[in-house]
């Protein structure tokens, strides 16, 4: 498979961090491939923050000194620490009795690798000197970005105040047993290179009949550790498409882009640290030159390797076209995800999609086991065939995304939610409707960690859905079924957050209601629930009026 040959060539470069010399090597290689095929190749230099580990060590000081292999988590800064090592089971997700202030925490990595961020913040708040995470899977290191603040704004924040480290599972389990039976001291040293640098975005242009309708084919080339599925295969897929496109008569202009700084690299430690490279391109190329309305669609490749093939796509219309185009393939189609570069474009109303198998890559995600050896070649081939078919339909065959269906979808969604509004749907620009898909976080950032979910019109539809659950809870209490009411309440967050916008949508004081029910104060619980239902409905309708006003402008 030619795709894998290209991928192995790129993989030989090693870890590619935005702004590094390895990135420049990859970019030069990719540029030389594309220059042979494209009508024009442009390199965009992007200001990034380079973070690269130079030296890291973990020594256990007992009768002697033992060294344990370790890696630093970005964006740990250079430091040297000596302190008592304390093992905490399920740290960050259960109450702890041990005092960890001024100590080095050893704990197992959370089930969701990205929850390392939550464990890190918990360690920081409890005054720990450092945190060491051992993996849930054997014989691997992992890199996940940790940060020193709660929230996901696009603002900058201070550097990570305490260091964080990854060790192999086998070493972690052995250390945990030792630390549970006797006092241990650990010595941690890390030296990293943190500096302003220049990342690079590669853009190859293939002329087509319709220059004012552009199809963007994208992937990111930066990656932590070995990164074969995330996202060396994506870069290789761009080269493969470029090869095939030389034999196509393009109905639409096609642009192939390889982004820097998807994994991180935003100058100043931005809270929403991922997707920085594509955000920079959108702001400094697309919006600056006012070509956003010329981008017909974006098709992105990220994190493909094994498991269930998924396409995360924005908008009813684009999902319909993808579903029709991929008939005969086993593909799950869902809303676009805020974890992929496609979201950068769908956020402003451009039909965008990412092909991925992300949900089945947890065991190797951001680890040194993410190599060609773990992939399912049949899945990768299937993914490429789907990728190619969608691209060919749009760029070569001029398939149409019937955007008028977005108005029908909006009207239908509101009716299903029991909302009848007097509005002329035909006056609403369909692309504005795409901007109503937003990521949500269930609960307060500080109190619980949940992955982002993409909802349509969450300020309205999601609030109304929770109001119905609260009504069911009230009925259960009135029927005397308190246990059912408690089960329903356990599934409801006290609020939902809109990451990026950092807007809070209150739901109900769930903890207080649960406490009142457990203490037998049913009437008080019902009264609070009734007030909450009324508040949710009122807020939902107020939000809808504001949103419809913006849509019609």
């Amino acid at each position: 498979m030619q795709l894998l040959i290209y991928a192995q060539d790129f993989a030989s470069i090693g870890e590619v961090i935005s702004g590094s010399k390895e990135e420049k090597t990859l970019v030069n290689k990719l540029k030389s491939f594309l220059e042979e095929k494209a009508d024009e190749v442009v390199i965009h230099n992007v200001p990034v923050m380079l973070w690269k580990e130079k030296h890291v060590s973990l020594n256990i000081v007992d009768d002697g000194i033992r060294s344990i292999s370790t890696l630093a988590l970005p964006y740990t800064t250079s430091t040297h620490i000596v302190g008592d090592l304390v093992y905490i089971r399920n740290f960050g997700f259960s109450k702890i009795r041990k005092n960890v202030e001024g100590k080095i925490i050893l704990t197992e990595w959370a089930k969701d690798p990205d929850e390392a961020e939550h464990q890190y913040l918990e360690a920081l708040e409890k005054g720990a000197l450092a945190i060491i995470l051992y993996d849930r899977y054997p014989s691997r290191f992992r890199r996940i970005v940790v940060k020193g603040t709660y929230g996901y704004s696009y603002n900058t924040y201070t550097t990570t105040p305490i260091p964080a480290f990854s060790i192999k599972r086998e070493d972690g389990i052995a250390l945990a047993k030792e630390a549970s039976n006797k006092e241990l001291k650990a010595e941690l040293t890390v030296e990293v290179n943190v500096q302003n640098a220049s990342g690079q975005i590669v853009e190859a242009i293939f002329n087509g009949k319709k220059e004012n309708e552009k199809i963007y084919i994208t992937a990111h080339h930066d990656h932590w550790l070995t990164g074969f599925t995330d996202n060396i295969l994506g870069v290789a897929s761009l080269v493969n498409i470029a090869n095939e496109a030389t034999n196509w008569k393009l109905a639409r202009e096609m642009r192939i882009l390889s982004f820097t700084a998807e994994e991180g690299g935003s100058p100043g430690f931005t809270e929403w640290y991922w997707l920085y490279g594509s955000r920079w391109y959108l702001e400094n190329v697309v919006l600056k030159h006012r070509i956003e309305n010329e981008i017909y669609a974006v098709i992105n490749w990220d994190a493909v390797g094994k498991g269930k093939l998924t396409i995360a796509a924005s908008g009813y219309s684009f999902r319909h076209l993808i579903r029709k185009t991929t008939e005969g393939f086993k593909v799950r189609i869902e809303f676009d995800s805020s974890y992929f570069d496609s979201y950068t474009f769908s956020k402003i109303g451009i039909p965008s999609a990412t092909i991925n198998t992300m949900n089945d890559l947890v065991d190797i995600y951001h680890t040194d086991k993410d190599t060609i050896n773990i992939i399912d070649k049949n899945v990768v081939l299937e993914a490429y065939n789907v990728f190619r078919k969608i691209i060919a339909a749009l760029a070569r065959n001029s398939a149409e995304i019937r955007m008028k269906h977005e108005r029908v979808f909006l009207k239908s969604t509101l009716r299903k939610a029991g909302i009848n509004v007097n509005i002329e749907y035909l006056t609403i620009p369909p692309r504005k409707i795409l901007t109503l898909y937003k990521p949500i976080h269930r609960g307060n950032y500080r109190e619980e960690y949940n992955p982002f979910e993409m909802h349509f019109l969450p300020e309205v539809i999601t609030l109304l859905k929770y109001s119905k659950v609260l009504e069911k809870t009230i009925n259960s209490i009135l029927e005397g079924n308190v246990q059912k009411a408690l089960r329903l309440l356990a599934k409801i967050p006290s609020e939902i957050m809109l990451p990026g916008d950092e807007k809070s949508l209150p739901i109900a004081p769930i903890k207080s209601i649960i406490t009142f029910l457990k203490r037998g104060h049913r009437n008080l619980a019902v009264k609070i629930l009734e007030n909450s239902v009324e508040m949710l409905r009122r807020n939902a309708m107020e939000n809808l009026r504001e949103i419809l006003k913006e849509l019609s402008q």
Side-chain angles (χ1 to χ4, degrees):
M1 194 191 310
Q2 187 63 45
L3 178 70
L4 293 182
I5 294 172
Y6 288 136
Q8 286 178 294
D9 191 12
F10 289 122
S12 66
I13 297 169
E15 187 174 34
V16 175
I17 299 170
S18 56
S20 66
K21 65 179 182 180
E22 288 81 8
E23 181 184 24
K24 288 178 174 55
T25 300
L26 184 146
V27 164
N28 288 335
K29 189 182 289 286
L30 178 58
K31 180 172 175 278
S32 67
F33 277 132
L34 294 175
E35 282 178 333
E36 296 177 2
K37 311 295 179 183
D39 294 295
E40 182 182 358
V41 175
V42 180
I43 302 296
H44 301 280
N45 291 308
V46 182
V48 299
M49 178 192 67
L50 169 65
W51 177 95
K52 191 167 185 183
E53 178 185 289
K54 295 172 68 177
H55 167 76
V56 62
S57 65
L58 165 59
N59 293 324
I60 302 301
V61 183
D62 195 3
D63 296 331
I65 296 178
R66 287 177 289 137
S67 294
I68 294 177
S69 296
T70 183
L71 291 183
L73 301 189
Y75 292 104
T76 291
T77 53
S78 298
T79 190
H80 175 259
I81 288 174
V82 178
D84 293 332
L85 184 70
V86 56
Y87 168 64
I88 306 292
R89 183 181 174 85
N90 294 325
F91 181 77
F93 306 99
S94 60
K95 291 182 179 179
I96 62 169
R97 297 177 182 176
K98 292 180 182 179
N99 178 21
V100 298
E101 186 175 355
K103 297 179 180 178
I104 298 169
I105 296 172
L106 171 69
T107 193
E108 186 177 31
W109 212 296
K111 289 182 180 179
D112 178 348
D114 285 325
E115 289 188 41
E117 174 190 319
H118 184 83
Q119 293 175 291
Y120 177 87
L121 288 166
E122 186 83 2
L124 179 62
E125 288 204 333
K126 294 191 178 302
L129 289 177
I131 184 168
I132 303 170
L133 298 166
Y134 66 86
D135 214 86
R136 300 186 77 89
Y137 299 90
S139 306
R140 67 203 62 201
F141 293 109
R142 193 184 296 265
R143 284 206 212 274
I144 297 290
V145 173
V146 293
K147 56 190 181 70
T149 56
Y150 291 93
Y152 299 94
S153 74
Y154 298 113
N155 301 323
T156 58
Y157 66 97
T158 57
T159 57
T160 46
I162 64 173
F165 301 87
S166 162
I167 63 174
K168 292 181 178 179
R169 178 170 183 79
E170 297 86 342
D171 291 329
I173 290 174
L175 268 182
K177 288 180 180 178
E178 279 192 80
S180 299
N181 294 320
K182 63 180 180 179
E183 292 185 358
L184 288 178
K185 279 196 178 294
E187 178 186 26
L188 288 160
T189 303
V190 60
E191 184 181 356
V192 296
N193 179 20
V194 180
Q195 65 181 60
N196 293 327
S198 179
Q200 295 180 309
I201 294 172
V202 184
E203 180 173 15
I205 301 170
F206 295 76
N207 296 332
K209 286 184 179 180
K210 299 177 182 178
E211 291 184 4
N212 62 341
E213 291 185 6
K214 309 179 194 303
I215 306 301
Y216 277 35
I217 318 303
T218 67
H220 71 87
H221 57 248
D222 62 312
H223 58 83
W224 298 120
L225 301 175
T226 46
F228 198 80
T229 67
D230 184 16
N231 192 35
I232 289 170
L233 277 171
V235 181
S237 73
L238 299 183
V239 176
N240 233 34
I241 289 294
N243 278 339
E244 295 203 48
T246 57
N247 298 317
W248 295 351
K249 290 184 178 180
L250 295 175
R252 296 185 174 107
E253 182 179 295
M254 188 176 81
R255 296 195 177 192
I256 287 177
L257 286 113
S258 184
F259 293 119
T260 186
E262 189 272 353
E263 303 289 6
S266 55
F269 300 97
T270 308
E271 285 187 321
W272 190 311
Y273 58 84
W274 64 100
L275 313 186
Y276 167 68
S278 56
R279 286 203 306 272
W280 183 94
Y281 177 84
L282 180 74
E283 292 166 8
N284 293 277
V285 179
V286 175
L287 298 181
K288 183 178 179 180
H289 297 289
R290 299 180 180 179
I291 61 171
E292 61 270 26
N293 292 326
E294 296 180 10
I295 304 176
Y296 195 78
V298 176
I299 306 96
N300 183 57
W301 175 303
D302 197 0
V304 173
K306 58 178 181 172
K308 180 70 175 178
L309 195 59
T310 300
I311 298 177
S314 63
Y316 176 86
S317 306
F318 198 22
R319 290 196 299 275
H320 177 74
L321 181 143
I322 290 170
R323 191 173 288 111
K324 187 176 179 181
T325 305
T326 58
E327 285 179 354
F329 292 96
K330 293 181 179 179
V331 182
R332 177 173 57 205
I333 300 172
E334 59 188 24
F335 288 173
D336 194 13
S337 167
S338 57
Y339 294 110
F340 299 128
D341 280 312
S342 51
Y343 175 67
T344 295
F345 299 91
S346 66
K347 188 174 184 290
I348 67 162
I350 298 171
S352 308
T354 294
I355 189 164
N356 70 94
T357 62
M358 185 68 179
N359 291 336
D360 295 302
L361 298 177
V362 173
D363 58 329
I364 52 92
Y365 172 67
H366 287 193
T367 74
D368 56 351
K369 293 294 183 183
D370 185 3
T371 67
I372 192 172
N373 298 323
I374 62 87
I375 68 167
D376 183 330
K377 293 181 181 178
N378 291 327
V379 170
V380 172
L381 179 60
E382 181 97 333
Y384 181 76
N385 287 336
V386 169
F387 190 59
R388 178 190 180 282
K389 192 167 185 182
I390 296 170
I391 294 166
L394 288 165
R396 187 173 65 175
N397 301 331
S398 198
E400 183 182 354
I401 302 173
R402 300 184 183 277
M403 294 297 291
K404 63 182 181 181
H405 291 157
E406 299 305 325
R407 300 186 183 108
V408 177
F409 178 75
L410 174 61
K411 187 175 183 179
S412 172
T413 301
L414 292 177
R415 282 184 175 176
K416 285 179 182 177
I419 300 171
N420 291 308
V421 290
N422 185 20
I423 184 172
E424 182 52 64
Y425 286 93
L426 291 177
T427 65
I428 301 175
R431 285 197 170 198
K432 279 193 175 183
I433 298 173
L434 295 191
T435 67
L436 301 181
Y437 293 86
K438 295 182 179 179
I440 73 158
H441 177 278
R442 294 180 187 268
N444 183 281
Y445 295 140
R446 187 176 293 271
E447 294 178 0
E448 53 190 305
Y449 176 92
N450 289 299
F452 297 173
E453 303 169 15
M454 195 65 78
H455 285 209
F456 181 71
L457 207 56
E459 305 96 319
V460 180
I461 304 302
T462 305
L463 293 189
L464 292 177
K465 284 181 179 178
Y466 279 124
S467 74
K468 291 179 181 178
V469 179
L470 292 182
E471 283 184 322
K472 288 182 182 179
T473 305
I474 292 170
N475 292 335
S476 296
I477 296 170
L478 295 177
E479 292 167 359
N481 195 341
V482 174
Q483 290 304 313
K484 181 180 179 181
L486 289 171
R487 287 195 297 271
L488 287 169
L489 288 169
K491 298 177 181 179
I492 304 173
S494 58
E495 65 181 316
I496 59 175
M497 299 294 298
L498 301 183
D501 295 337
E502 297 304 273
K503 182 180 178 181
S504 171
L505 302 176
I507 306 298
I510 300 299
K511 288 183 179 180
S512 297
I513 296 169
I514 289 174
T515 299
F516 291 141
L517 281 177
K518 288 182 176 179
R519 292 180 178 177
H521 303 304
R522 298 185 185 183
N523 291 338
L524 181 55
V526 168
K527 184 64 177 176
I528 296 172
L529 283 165
E530 288 174 341
N531 290 339
S532 297
V533 169
E534 184 181 347
M535 176 200 72
L536 285 174
R537 288 176 174 171
R538 183 176 63 251
N539 289 349
M541 294 312 296
E542 288 177 359
N543 292 339
L544 180 61
R545 280 192 288 273
E546 287 297 315
I547 290 167
L548 290 177
K549 183 179 178 181
E550 291 176 10
L551 289 177
S552 300
Q553 288 177 350

